[in-house]
C-alpha cells in the first residue's frame, strides 16, 4: 500500500525532478517507509512506500523488471500474488523479491493488459512500457484504491490524491454540477468527475492508456460484474457452502502480510463476521490474539460497543477502543477536511478517522473491514423495495403482504412510514426529485434530475442490476473514498474481504431469496455465521456502523456550522441567501452537514465558483 505519482510534458520538454518530488512528497503519509523516482525524457514517475510485503529494499519503487523495458509505480495489494508467481515461474519467469509488485510486472510482460483479469486484489498502478511507447494505468474492479488524473494543453499527470494535481490547474474552481447533485440529491462519485473542475478520477474497472507518441489519453472498461447462472442455479445447501468457502478464503488471503494485522469492529453483522473468521485463522497460524478496534459513541442511542464486546469475549480478541468527545470532533475536523479532499457525507467519517489513528498508535499497519457487505448482500433498508417488487411479481399479493409483515418484524426501522417512504422514493424517480427540490427550495435553480435517480428506480425490478448500480456508482464508490483517505492519512492499509471479486460475483448472482428472506437482510451471511457468533448479533434487527453521535455533536457545533455556511461564497452562488438564512435551522441534519462540509472544503482548498 503506497502512494503513486506521474506526469508527462505533452510538448516534449524534459520532466523536472523537483516537480515529481513535490507530487510525491505531498502524499508522504501514504508511504512513510521510503520514496523513489524515475525521470526519463518528458516522463516522470514517483512513489511513496508503505512496506507490507517484503520489507527489504527489494520492494522499492518505481520498479523495473529485468530487461523488459517496463517500470511500475503501484499502490495496493495483489492478494493472490503467490499463486500467480508460481504460475509465471512455469513460463520461465524468475523473481528477485517476495513482492506482489514484481509479479505485476511479470504478469504484464506475459499477458499484456489482460493481466489484471487474473489479479485478486485492490490496486491503482501505472506501467511505463518503453517498447510500446505508452503508459498503462489500471484501477481495481471496484475502485478500492484511488487514481486521479488531469489533462491540460501542457501536461498529463496522475496520482493517488487530488492534492498532487492541484498545482497544474491555472485556477481552483468548483465543479458546480457535482456540487449541486451532492447538496440536493446527497450523491457523489457517480461518474469520473470530482468536486474540482478539471480533475477526474479513473473509475473502478477501468484502464487508461497514454500514448507517448501521439500524447493522447483514452480510457476503457475491462471488467463488468457478471451475472452467473451457475450460482443462481445452486441449491440452498450448495449456495451456503460456496459462499462460506469463498468468504473464508477471501479473509485468509487478506491476512497475508509481513506486518501486524487487525480489524475494524463496529459490532454489526459484517464487521463481526470478518473479525470472527479472521481471528480464528490468525490464532491458528500465529497463536496470538487478533486485534480489533471499536469506535464508541458518546450517545447511547448510536453506541453499539456492547455488541462488539460480545464478539471480543467469544473470540478472545485484543480489544482496542476509542471514544471521541465533541472536543475531539471539533479539534480533528480541519485535519479530516484536508484528508478527504472533497466534501463528505457526515460526522461518521470522523469516527472512522479515530479508528485509523488508534491503529497507527498501536502498531497495527493493516486493518480488515466489513465494507461492501451491505451492497453485495442487500443490507440497506432501501433495498426492501426490490424485495417487495419481486414478491409481488413472482408470488402475488398474499406473498407481498406476508413480506411486508416480515420486514416489520425483523427490521426495527421498517415501520409503515419508512416502508412507504422507501417504496415511493425507490420506484418513482420524479417524486423523489420533487421531494429533494422542496426540501432545498432555497436553491437558485435545481437543474434537471440527476440520471442516477431514474436508473435506481428502473433497477428495482431486477435486484442484480440494482446491486451492480450501487457497486459501480450510486453508493459504494464514495464510501471507498472515505475509507481510503482516512486510512492512508494514518499510513494504514485497509482490506475488504466482501469485495473479493469472486465473492462479489457469487453474492450478486445468488437468488434474491438467499439475500433477503422472511424480512431478514443478508440472509445467507446470517446462516453462515449462525452458531459461530452470538445470536444477538447474527439475528440483530437494527444496525448502525461506526455511527457518530450526530445529534450531540451537531447541536454543540450548530453556531459554528451556521456561521460557516452563511459566509460561504459557493453557498451564496448556489442559493438565495435570504431563503437559506430563514430555512437553515429547519433543515434536516444531513442537509445542514452537507452545506457545512462544502463550506469547510471551499475554505481549506481555496476553491472559487
Amino acid at each position: 500500500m503506497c502512494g503513486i505519482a506521474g506526469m508527462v510534458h505533452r510538448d516534449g520538454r524534459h520532466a523536472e525532478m523537483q516537480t515529481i518530488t513535490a507530487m510525491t512528497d505531498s502524499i508522504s503519509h501514504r508511504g512513510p517507509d521510503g520514496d523513489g523516482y524515475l525521470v526519463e525524457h518528458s516522463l516522470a514517475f514517483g512513489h511513496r512506500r508503505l512496506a507490507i510485503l517484503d520489507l527489504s529494499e527489494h520492494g522499492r519503487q518505481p520498479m523495473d523488471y529485468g530487461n523488459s523495458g517496463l517500470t511500475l509505480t503501484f499502490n495496493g495489494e495483489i492478494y493472490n500474488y503467490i499463486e500467480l508467481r508460481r504460475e509465471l515461474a512455469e513460463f520461465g519467469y524468475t523473481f528477485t523479491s517476495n513482492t506482489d509488485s514484481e509479479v505485476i510486472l511479470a504478469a504484464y510482460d506475459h499477458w499484456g493488459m489482460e493481466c489484471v483479469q487474473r489479479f485478486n486484489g485492490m490496486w491503482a498502478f501505472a506501467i511505463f512500457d518503453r517498447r510500446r511507447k505508452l503508459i498503462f494505468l489500471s484501477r481495481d474492479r471496484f475502485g478500492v484504491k484511488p487514481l486521479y488524473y488531469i489533462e491540460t494543453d501542457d501536461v498529463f499527470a496522475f496520482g493517488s490524491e487530488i492534492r498532487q494535481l492541484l498545482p497544474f490547474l491555472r485556477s481552483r474552481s468548483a465543479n458546480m454540477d457535482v456540487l449541486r447533485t451532492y447538496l440536493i440529491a446527497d450523491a457523489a462519485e457517480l461518474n469520473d468527475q470530482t468536486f474540482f473542475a478539471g480533475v477526474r478520477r479513473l473509475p473502478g474497472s477501468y484502464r487508461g492508456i497514454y500514448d507517448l507518441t501521439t500524447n493522447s489519453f483514452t480510457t476503457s472498461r475491462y471488467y463488468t460484474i457478471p451475472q452467473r447462472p451457475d450460482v443462481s442455479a445452486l441449491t440452498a445447501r450448495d449456495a451456503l457452502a460456496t459462499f462460506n468457502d469463498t468468504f473464508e478464503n477471501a479473509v485468509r488471503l487478506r491476512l497475508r502480510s509481513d506486518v501486524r494485522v487487525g480489524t475494524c469492529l463496529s459490532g454489526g453483522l459484517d464487521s463481526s463476521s470478518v473479525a470472527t473468521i479472521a481471528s480464528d485463522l490468525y490464532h491458528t497460524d500465529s497463536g496470538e490474539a487478533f486485534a480489533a478496534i471499536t469506535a464508541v459513541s458518546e450517545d447511547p442511542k448510536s453506541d453499539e460497543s456492547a455488541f462488539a464486546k460480545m464478539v471480543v469475549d467469544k473470540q478472545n480478541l485484543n480489544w482496542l477502543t476509542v471514544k471521541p468527545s465533541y472536543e475531539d470532533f471539533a479539534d480533528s475536523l480541519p485535519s479530516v477536511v484536508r484528508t478527504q479532499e472533497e466534501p463528505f457525507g457526515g460526522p461518521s467519517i470522523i469516527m472512522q478517522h479515530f479508528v485509523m489513528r488508534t491503529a497507527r498508535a498501536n502498531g497495527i499497519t493493516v486493518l480488515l473491514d466489513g465494507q461492501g457487505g451491505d451492497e453485495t448482500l442487500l443490507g440497506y433498508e432501501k433495498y426492501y423495495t426490490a424485495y417487495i417488487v419481486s414478491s409481488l411479481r413472482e408470488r402475488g399479493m398474499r406473498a407481498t403482504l406476508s413480506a411486508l409483515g416480515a420486514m416489520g418484524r425483523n427490521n426495527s426501522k421498517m415501520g409503515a412510514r419508512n416502508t412507504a417512504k422507501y417504496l415511493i422514493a425507490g420506484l418513482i424517480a420524479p417524486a423523489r426529485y420533487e421531494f429533494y427540490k422542496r426540501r432545498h427550495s432555497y436553491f437558485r435553480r435545481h437543474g434537471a434530475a440527476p440520471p442516477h435517480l431514474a436508473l435506481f428506480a428502473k433497477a428495482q425490478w431486477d435486484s442484480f442490476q440494482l446491486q451492480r448500480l450501487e457497486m459501480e456508482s450510486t453508493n459504494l464508490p464514495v464510501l471507498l473514498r472515505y475509507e481510503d483517505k482516512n486510512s492512508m492519512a494514518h499510513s494504514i492499509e485497509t482490506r475488504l474481504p466482501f469485495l473479493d471479486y469472486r465473492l462479489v460475483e457469487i453474492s450478486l448472482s445468488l437468488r434474491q431469496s438467499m439475500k433477503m428472506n422472511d424480512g431478514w437482510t443478508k440472509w445467507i451471511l446470517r446462516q453462515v455465521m449462525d452458531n459461530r457468533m452470538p445470536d444477538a448479533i447474527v439475528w440483530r434487527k437494527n444496525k448502525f456502523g461506526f455511527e457518530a453521535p450526530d445529534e450531540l455533536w451537531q447541536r454543540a457545533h450548530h453556531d459554528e456550522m451556521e456561521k460557516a455556511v452563511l459566509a460561504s461564497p459557493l453557498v451564496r452562488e448556489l442559493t438565495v441567501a435570504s431563503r437559506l438564512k430563514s430555512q437553515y435551522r429547519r433543515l434536516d441534519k444531513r442537509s445542514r452537514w452537507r452545506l457545512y462540509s462544502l463550506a469547510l472544503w471551499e475554505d481549506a482548498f481555496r476553491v472559487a465558483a
Side-chain angles (χ1 to χ4, degrees), residues 227 386 389 393 458-467 512:
Q227 189 165 15
V389 167
R393 186 176 59 188
K458 182 180 180 181
Q460 302 301 324
W461 300 91
D462 183 336
S463 63
F464 176 83
Q465 297 299 333
L466 172 64
Q467 289 183 270
Q512 185 164 299

Side-chain angles (χ1 to χ4, degrees), residues 149 189-194 199-203 219:
Y149 68 95
E189 306 232 4
L190 297 170
N191 46 41
D192 66 348
Q193 301 295 307
T194 72
V199 179
R200 304 171 78 175
R201 66 174 54 84
L202 188 69
T219 64

Side-chain angles (χ1 to χ4, degrees), residues 1 7 11 35 57 60 71 84 126 156 200 206 223 313 369 381 405 439 466 474 514 598:
M1 185 67 64
M7 56 87 63
D11 60 4
D35 56 12
E57 282 296 298
R60 186 169 180 169
T71 300
L84 286 171
F156 171 79
R200 304 171 78 175
Y206 272 72
Y223 175 81
D313 291 343
D369 197 4
E381 284 77 17
R439 186 169 66 181
L466 172 64
T474 51
M514 295 301 296
L598 167 60

Side-chain angles (χ1 to χ4, degrees), residues 1-5 23-24 26-36 46-55 59-63 72-78 99-101 104 122-125 144-147 159-161 164 365-366 484-485 487-489 491-495:
M1 185 67 64
C2 307
I4 65 174
M23 291 179 71
T24 308
S26 68
I27 55 164
S28 59
H29 48 277
R30 299 185 78 95
D33 299 326
D35 56 12
H47 190 263
R48 291 293 309 206
R49 186 184 184 199
L50 177 62
I52 303 293
L53 299 171
D54 191 341
L55 309 186
R60 186 169 180 169
Q61 296 183 44
M63 180 182 286
L72 169 76
T73 183
F74 162 51
N75 169 31
E77 299 288 348
I78 307 302
T99 66
D100 52 347
S101 307
I104 291 174
M122 54 182 182
W123 67 83
F125 65 72
V144 179
K145 302 316 299 174
L147 186 55
S160 297
E161 297 190 5
Q164 299 169 274
T365 307
V366 173
D484 171 80
K485 298 292 177 69
S487 61
M488 293 309 294
S491 306
I492 299 295
E493 172 175 302
T494 51
R495 298 176 172 181

Side-chain angles (χ1 to χ4, degrees), residues 141-167:
R141 293 173 180 85
F142 311 118
V144 179
K145 302 316 299 174
L147 186 55
Y148 300 96
Y149 68 95
I150 187 170
E151 290 185 273
T152 70
D153 292 340
D154 303 323
V155 71
F156 171 79
F158 63 87
S160 297
E161 297 190 5
I162 293 172
R163 71 188 75 248
Q164 299 169 274
L165 306 178
L166 295 180

